[in-house]
């Protein structure tokens, strides 16, 4: 039994081809376009790829070329199906011109699998890791297309600016979700390596707050003295952004977001406070668990990533929240001295 990836944007054709492969005794991965097929191939490493040529986002020929560029997929046989390419493409291992007989399709499936190299078993990772990588990869194509279309709309003088701003916010949320899913996958695999430096945490916090002031009023309460801590600037900025994004959203533009920095010889605490609706008390203990449902919504995945990044720094992330009284998120980081 082999794993076969079948890609076709016509649902009826996809179902027929997949059924034929299953009747031959193989497992099937189904993809509705080239980008989805590429993401599935990277995540699951099939023994054979069957792809139509005329597909949205990524054509069959371009999918062949992209697969040939992947170190782990370059030797996987590919059957290309097309009604417009009379001779197929050199990147494909086999070619069938549409329309074709099912018996011909079955024959080329058998021949391709018989000639396919048998890869050594590999650990594809936990289900969470595989799912995170695949979803993040699959999301990227439509998000890039939507972002390009939004830029075109922004140049139209008669476009409704409030609607465009709302679309931009939704795209940012989806892009953040994709980034968080990638980080969840890396965290699950133990693949997040910090690059710590000794630096002034106060200056980095000021930079994050300044950036978020473009979206809403944020008050920073901190000493002017430097706060030297050993940390990964990129990853700690990621934690700041998760907490500030949540606070600005929860506050609803009322200008009651406050960020406080406190430091002792052994510990630094950054608190991000809002006066929004808060979270139900029963949800607070679960805010930092992955894939939780509730009022946190997609932001909960960001909380999980932020808490894991804090843990990798030897610190911790906690929250206190009550309905109607807002929330306080606290980042604790150790320091020497």
């Amino acid at each position: 039994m082999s794993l076969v990836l079948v890609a076709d944007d016509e649902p009826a054709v996809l179902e027929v081809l997949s059924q034929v492969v299953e009747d031959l005794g193989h497992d099937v991965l189904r993809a509705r376009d080239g980008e989805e097929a590429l993401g599935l191939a990277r995540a699951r490493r099939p023994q054979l790829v069957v792809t139509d040529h005329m597909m949205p986002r990524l054509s069959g020929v371009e999918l062949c070329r992209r697969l040939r560029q992947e170190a782990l997929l370059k030797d996987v046989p590919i059957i290309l199906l097309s009604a417009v390419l009379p001779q197929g493409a050199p990147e494909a291992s086999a070619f069938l011109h549409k329309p074709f007989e099912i018996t011909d399709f079955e024959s080329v499936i058998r021949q391709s699998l018989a000639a396919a190299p048998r890869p050594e078993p590999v650990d594809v990772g936990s289900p969470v890791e595989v799912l995170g990588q695949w979803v993040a990869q699959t999301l990227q194509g439509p998000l890039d297309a939507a972002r390009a279309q939004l830029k075109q709309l922004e140049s139209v003088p008669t476009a409704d600016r409030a609607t465009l701003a709302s679309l931009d916010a939704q795209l940012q949320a989806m892009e953040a979700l994709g980034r968080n899913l990638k980080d969840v996958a890396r965290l699950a695999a133990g693949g997040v390596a910090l690059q710590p430096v000794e630096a002034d945490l106060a200056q980095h916090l000021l930079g994050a707050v300044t950036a978020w002031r473009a979206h809403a009023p944020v008050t920073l309460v901190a000493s002017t003295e430097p706060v030297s801590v050993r940390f990964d600037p990129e990853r700690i900025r990621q934690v700041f952004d998760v907490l500030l994004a949540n606070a600005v959203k929860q506050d609803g533009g009322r200008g009651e977001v406050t960020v406080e920095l406190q430091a002792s010889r052994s510990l630094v605490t950054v608190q991000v406070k809002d006066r929004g609706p808060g979270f139900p008390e029963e949800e607070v203990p679960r805010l930092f668990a992955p894939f939780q449902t509730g009022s946190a919504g997609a932001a909960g995945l960001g909380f999980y990533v932020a808490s894991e990044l804090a843990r990798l720094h030897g610190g911790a992330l906690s929250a206190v929240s009550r309905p109607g009284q807002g929330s306080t998120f606290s980042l604790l980081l150790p320091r020497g001295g």
Side-chain angles (χ1 to χ4, degrees):
M1 179 185 293
S2 298
L3 182 62
V4 180
L5 171 60
V6 181
D8 199 299
D9 62 324
E10 291 289 340
V13 176
L14 178 61
E15 184 58 33
V16 170
L17 296 179
S18 299
Q19 189 61 57
V20 171
V21 174
E22 289 178 341
D23 289 344
L24 290 173
H26 305 295
D27 291 330
V28 176
L29 295 171
R30 294 170 172 83
R32 295 174 296 274
D33 58 55
E35 283 286 356
E36 185 179 17
L38 182 61
L40 279 171
R42 286 168 170 167
R44 299 293 303 277
R45 292 185 61 192
Q47 280 76 58
L48 173 65
V49 175
V50 179
T51 179
D52 184 32
H53 171 54
M54 298 294 289
M55 293 189 299
R57 297 210 288 164
L58 202 66
S59 72
V61 171
E62 184 59 31
L63 174 62
C64 292
R65 291 170 181 161
R66 297 281 291 274
L67 291 171
R68 295 298 180 229
Q69 294 169 3
E70 301 274 335
L72 297 178
L73 299 170
K74 61 184 178 65
D75 295 324
V76 173
I78 305 169
I79 302 173
L80 181 65
L81 315 175
S82 177
V84 298
L85 298 175
Q87 303 297 327
E91 294 84 357
S93 310
F95 174 72
L96 281 176
H97 190 274
K98 290 184 174 181
F100 49 80
E101 297 293 333
I102 292 298
T103 53
D104 292 335
F105 181 60
E106 292 174 338
S107 177
V108 75
I109 289 285
R110 292 192 183 96
Q111 293 171 8
S112 297
L113 285 173
R118 292 288 140 187
E120 295 183 3
V122 296
D123 180 9
V124 298
S126 70
V128 169
E129 179 186 354
V130 172
L131 178 64
Q133 291 174 338
W134 177 75
V135 173
Q137 180 66 38
T138 304
L139 278 174
Q140 194 59 52
L143 284 175
D144 288 344
R147 177 62 68 184
Q149 291 171 0
L150 180 60
K151 287 183 178 180
Q152 290 181 349
L153 287 173
E154 288 172 343
S155 64
V156 178
T158 58
D160 187 296
R161 297 299 148 183
T163 300
L164 294 180
S166 177
L167 289 173
D168 181 62
Q170 295 299 321
L171 280 177
Q172 288 184 38
M174 292 297 294
E175 288 162 351
L177 175 61
R179 290 192 296 270
N180 286 333
L181 283 167
K182 288 181 180 179
D183 281 329
V184 167
R186 295 190 187 105
L187 287 164
V192 175
L194 301 182
Q195 298 181 354
V197 297
E198 192 77 21
D200 181 7
L201 185 69
Q203 282 298 316
H204 286 266
L205 180 59
L206 175 61
V209 168
T210 301
W212 278 96
R213 281 173 178 160
H215 302 274
V218 181
T219 301
L220 176 61
V221 179
S223 170
T224 57
E225 295 295 321
V227 179
S228 181
V229 182
R230 187 166 179 79
F231 63 97
D232 183 325
E234 180 180 350
R235 291 302 189 177
I236 286 298
R237 174 59 184 267
Q238 188 175 348
V239 176
F240 291 160
D241 284 342
V242 167
L243 301 184
L244 285 164
N246 171 72
V248 168
K249 177 183 177 181
Q250 294 290 324
D251 184 67
R254 289 186 294 272
E256 298 181 8
V257 174
T258 302
V259 180
E260 296 183 6
L261 173 63
Q262 301 174 354
S264 67
R265 289 177 58 86
S266 60
L267 187 69
V268 176
T269 302
V270 177
Q271 291 189 327
V272 180
K273 305 177 182 180
D274 66 74
R275 294 295 179 264
F279 298 98
E281 292 186 28
E282 66 272 13
E283 287 188 18
V284 174
R286 304 195 302 268
L287 282 176
F288 304 112
F291 305 114
Q292 292 292 321
T293 59
S295 55
L301 199 58
F303 291 150
Y304 166 72
V305 171
S307 68
E308 288 298 293
L309 293 177
R311 182 184 60 80
L312 289 175
H313 280 84
L317 191 60
S318 62
V320 176
S321 184
R322 294 182 177 83
Q325 300 182 33
S327 306
T328 298
F329 285 80
S330 299
L331 170 64
L332 282 70
L333 294 174
R335 66 185 307 204

